[in-house]
Amino acid sequence: MLEQLITLDKSLLVEINNNHSPFFDHFFWYVTNILIWLPAFATLIYSIIKTKKKDAIWIILGIGLTILIADQIASGLLKPLVERLRPTRDPSLEGMLHIVRGYTGGRFGFASSHAANSFGIALFTSLLFRYRWYTIGIFAWAVLFSYSRLYLGVHFPGDILCGMLIGLGAATFAFYLLKRFFPQTLAGKRFAQKELNAALITFVLIPLLLIPLYFML
């Protein structure tokens, strides 16, 4: 059964990775880089600080705890424990993958910290804001961010799936702690939809801006 799952995992990755084009090589090369998303995260943090004032520190620490737990489980614990080679370093897939700009990632890939961190952030902030359009948008971002790892061939679908579950679990735990020990952060003034829309628009605009950038470079 395990062998069948591994074979399926590899087949799915090859199928996804081989659907490529020069445009999407450029597009996902930038999408996978966390640095381009900093303006979106800055907008998000600004809306939290503006609304919650001094209590914002506990929310920001909750987001930080989510990322810390997700990243440490995925990269600090599972990668060295499981030692599953990344697709780009798997001898059985040699010559079968489309590699972008020579990028192969680290040696081990299970589980994906990109998926763990992005889905952790998505769930924690969705539970915090409770705004439908933001929830849809931020989870769409997590899917796009995680998919970039499949496109680049540095993770198997199973790596992404497990990373996603880790991130969701980390966010649930961190949000429980926030609700249990700092309930005042969830009370009082509600987050303004216009500010959440601004954060959401920033997340949407960034990948759209990559399209004209492709034609300029």
Side-chain angles (χ1 to χ4, degrees):
M1 182 65 177
L2 181 59
E3 288 297 323
Q4 291 176 329
L5 288 175
I6 291 174
T7 300
L8 176 62
D9 210 21
K10 291 182 178 182
S11 298
L12 286 173
L13 184 275
V14 171
E15 183 68 26
I16 293 169
N17 173 261
N18 278 279
N19 283 305
H20 58 82
S21 70
F23 169 76
F24 282 113
D25 285 359
H26 175 89
F27 181 78
F28 284 113
W29 173 258
Y30 285 103
V31 164
T32 204
N33 188 339
I34 193 65
L35 293 179
I36 75 157
W37 301 104
L38 289 181
F41 289 121
T43 306
L44 200 61
I45 295 300
Y46 170 77
S47 68
I48 293 172
I49 294 173
K50 182 179 178 181
T51 302
K52 293 299 182 179
K53 303 295 189 289
K54 63 180 181 180
D55 286 329
I57 185 63
W58 303 115
I59 296 173
I60 295 170
L61 287 175
I63 295 173
L65 179 62
T66 298
I67 295 171
L68 178 64
I69 294 172
D71 193 67
Q72 285 303 303
I73 292 177
S75 293
L77 176 64
L78 290 180
K79 280 183 175 133
L81 181 65
V82 177
E83 294 188 342
R84 187 187 191 190
L85 293 174
R86 288 184 188 270
T88 48
R89 297 178 180 274
D90 189 332
S92 69
L93 296 177
E94 187 173 354
M96 299 174 65
L97 297 176
H98 173 68
I99 298 175
V100 178
R101 302 190 186 188
Y103 176 59
T104 57
R107 188 179 180 192
F108 303 125
F110 184 89
S112 168
S113 55
H114 273 66
N117 293 335
S118 60
F119 277 95
I121 292 170
L123 180 58
F124 186 96
T125 54
S126 294
L127 292 171
L128 177 67
F129 299 141
R130 298 191 180 278
Y131 177 41
R132 181 179 62 177
W133 292 113
Y134 173 83
T135 299
I136 293 171
I138 198 66
F139 273 99
W141 165 76
V143 169
L144 179 70
F145 191 56
S146 299
Y147 181 83
S148 71
R149 310 305 285 169
L150 300 175
Y151 183 93
L152 296 174
V154 293
H155 278 298
F156 291 105
D159 302 341
I160 300 296
L161 177 60
C162 289
M164 178 188 73
L165 294 175
I166 290 167
L168 295 177
T172 301
F173 177 70
F175 193 80
Y176 166 77
L177 292 180
L178 181 69
K179 187 176 181 179
R180 174 70 176 81
F181 295 104
F182 304 100
Q184 74 277 8
T185 62
L186 306 178
K189 186 179 179 182
R190 293 179 59 84
F191 291 93
Q193 289 187 5
K194 65 178 182 179
E195 291 173 5
L196 297 181
N197 285 336
L200 185 57
I201 289 170
T202 310
F203 275 101
V204 172
L205 279 179
I206 288 173
L208 290 179
L209 290 173
L210 293 178
I211 296 175
L213 184 63
Y214 168 75
F215 295 102
M216 292 166 54
L217 297 179

